Amino acid sequence: AQSVTQPDIHITVSEGASLELRCNYSYGATPYLFWYVQSPGQGLQLLLKYFSGDTLVQGIKGFEAEFKRSQSSFNLRKPSVHWSDAAEYFCAVGAGGGADGLTFGKGTHLIIQP
Amino acid sequence: DSGVTQTPKHLITATGQRVTLRCSPRSGDLSVYWYQQSLDQGLQFLIHYYNGEERAKGNILERFSAQQFPDLHSELNLSSLELGDSALYFCASSVDVRDTEAFFGQGTRLTVV
């Protein structure tokens, strides 16, 4: 069975600083990988996804993620965070192209300091 | 706005009761997924319907059931409710069975007292 680990429950970053959120996955085949963001009281919004090809994927809101098969990682990065980036971030792996549902990590709560 | 509509937004009910959560997918989307988000379990996949047929099941309890109707809206039925069923229930939709960009609704917050 697949699993996702997000080692950091909370991360605090100063506004304007760079950000990296960690995600490690366990999956037997080539994974479908996703990052979602959840703002308070909101549903989840897809930031980016990786299926195959270029291991560096660009997403919305200036985010990018790099797939590293050797490390079973899919870390999310942003060069300069804004106060509006404060939210909960979820990494997920999908089986069957997502048809069998997504397995989510526990999430990382991002706090932005002024 | 994702285009996925969930009703009601909030629901408070007593233990042992039965509730129905409703989801209207984005226009044109054939797939509907249900997820449960709770503090202790996190986000868990419950079930996936595609064009009216069940496609995949996740950690869905036997007390829970779902269906997707000919107009593609879906309902999640939760019965014999327990305190531990209190959670945020999300519906997501996508265009087809393997289109993995799923769009999430804002969820229904269920509180069982």
Side-chain angles (χ1 to χ4, degrees):
Chain A
Q2 63 265 25
S3 65
V4 176
T5 302
Q6 293 181 247
D8 304 306
I9 297 173
H10 301 275
I11 280 189
T12 301
V13 178
S14 297
E15 189 168 15
S18 63
L19 170 71
E20 182 168 28
L21 302 183
R22 295 182 292 164
C23 172
N24 292 97
Y25 68 90
S26 173
Y27 187 67
T30 301
Y32 293 79
L33 294 161
F34 309 80
W35 275 99
Y36 280 87
V37 61
Q38 183 180 27
S39 298
Q42 301 295 315
L44 283 80
Q45 182 183 21
L46 180 68
L47 288 175
L48 46 77
K49 60 190 177 190
Y50 171 79
F51 298 159
S52 64
D54 192 348
T55 56
L56 185 63
V57 292
Q58 302 298 320
I60 63 171
K61 305 185 180 187
F63 285 94
E64 66 176 28
E66 187 170 12
F67 169 61
K68 292 185 177 180
R69 185 187 298 276
S70 61
Q71 297 177 19
S72 298
S73 70
F74 189 55
N75 294 348
L76 182 72
R77 300 194 294 250
K78 186 169 184 177
S80 176
V81 297
H82 186 261
W83 64 266
S84 60
D85 293 323
E88 193 82 17
Y89 290 79
F90 293 93
C91 180
V93 63
D100 297 335
L102 299 178
T103 298
F104 285 87
K106 294 289 191 186
T108 296
H109 184 60
L110 177 62
I111 300 165
I112 306 296
Q113 277 184 338
Chain B
D1 183 4
S2 67
V4 178
T5 304
Q6 290 189 247
T7 56
K9 287 189 167 43
H10 302 276
L11 197 49
I12 301 175
T13 190
T15 55
Q17 295 298 304
R18 172 189 168 95
V19 296
T20 297
L21 312 183
R22 182 187 170 100
C23 170
S24 294
R26 294 185 319 153
S27 177
D29 284 1
L30 299 178
S31 272
V32 170
Y33 307 79
W34 286 97
Y35 288 85
Q36 179 195 59
Q37 184 178 34
S38 62
L39 283 176
D40 51 347
Q41 298 292 327
L43 268 162
Q44 289 199 96
F45 166 66
L46 296 179
I47 198 162
H48 170 205
Y49 273 82
Y50 174 74
N51 203 20
E53 294 194 3
E54 183 185 302
R55 284 287 305 197
K57 262 187 177 178
N59 297 323
I60 188 166
L61 299 172
E62 285 194 11
R63 300 184 285 109
F64 296 0
S65 64
Q67 52 185 329
Q68 186 179 26
F69 294 86
D71 67 353
L72 301 176
H73 90 273
S74 178
E75 292 180 355
L76 180 66
N77 300 295
L78 315 176
S79 61
S80 303
L81 285 167
E82 302 174 359
L83 296 178
D85 298 326
S86 296
L88 196 50
Y89 291 84
F90 284 110
C91 165
S93 73
S94 64
V95 170
D96 63 28
V97 67
R98 289 184 66 86
D99 183 327
T100 52
E101 182 158 357
F103 293 82
F104 282 75
Q106 294 197 337
T108 293
R109 180 166 295 283
L110 173 68
T111 303
V112 183
V113 298

